[in-house]
Amino acid sequence: HTPQGIAYESGVPFPTGPALRRDYPQLKNVASIVSLGGDGQITTEDKKFREETGVVFAEPQFFDLFAFPWLAGNKATALNDPNTVLLTKAVAAKYFGDWTSAVGKTLKLDNHWLLKVTGVLDDMPANTDFPLKVVISYATLRNTGVAGALNDWVAVFAQHYCFIALPDN
């Protein structure tokens, strides 16, 4: 509630994805994604960058629900482990000079988390609902300031979404 009235947001509590997978095993797929919010400072070995948008944490299942063109890396395993990250082609080229050499390299997010590049996505079209640039494994959230919210059904992050694929029929 605000002085202007009720404000609605599309975010969901962090436990939504795991609960849906546990309680509704008949669902084809469930995937969560959360925007970092604000901007993220990215540091490579010798350069610093600031991404004002497009820095997200995503579960691996997100890339089974939505068809993003992969250029490098293994879609099935790229986001399984904490501290792994996908970059778009343009961002990988910006950070490392050549996107084809980005996989296996490391970068630091906000001077805290060392992330290993495990894949490269093609650049997102201008008209996308997901203007992704830097996609960090959702498992990395356990090592961040929101770790306590991962089991919190009360807090709702406006930029935390959960997508589901329903069974046929």
Side-chain angles (χ1 to χ4, degrees), residues 10 23 42 50 57-58 60 73 82 141 149 167:
S10 56
D23 295 345
I42 308 290
R50 187 162 298 283
F57 292 84
L141 286 172

Side-chain angles (χ1 to χ4, degrees), residues 68-75 86-93 99-101 103 118-124:
F68 291 95
W70 283 69
L71 301 177
N74 184 340
K75 178 178 151 180
L86 306 174
L87 304 174
T88 60
K89 181 180 177 180
V91 168
W99 72 267
T100 61
S101 65
V103 173
T118 54
V120 177
L121 302 168
D122 205 353
D123 295 330
M124 302 298 119

Side-chain angles (χ1 to χ4, degrees), residues 40-43 48 50 107-114:
Q41 180 180 316
I42 308 290
T43 308
K48 289 186 179 184
R50 187 162 298 283
L107 54 88
K108 192 176 273 190
L109 173 66
D110 293 336
N111 289 321
H112 290 88
W113 301 284
L114 190 63

Side-chain angles (χ1 to χ4, degrees), residues 33 54 62 66 68 124-125 127-133 161 163:
I33 184 170
F62 181 79
F66 298 98
F68 291 95
M124 302 298 119
N127 65 344
T128 184
D129 286 331
F130 303 108
L132 307 176
K133 294 179 184 175
Y161 307 107
F163 298 93

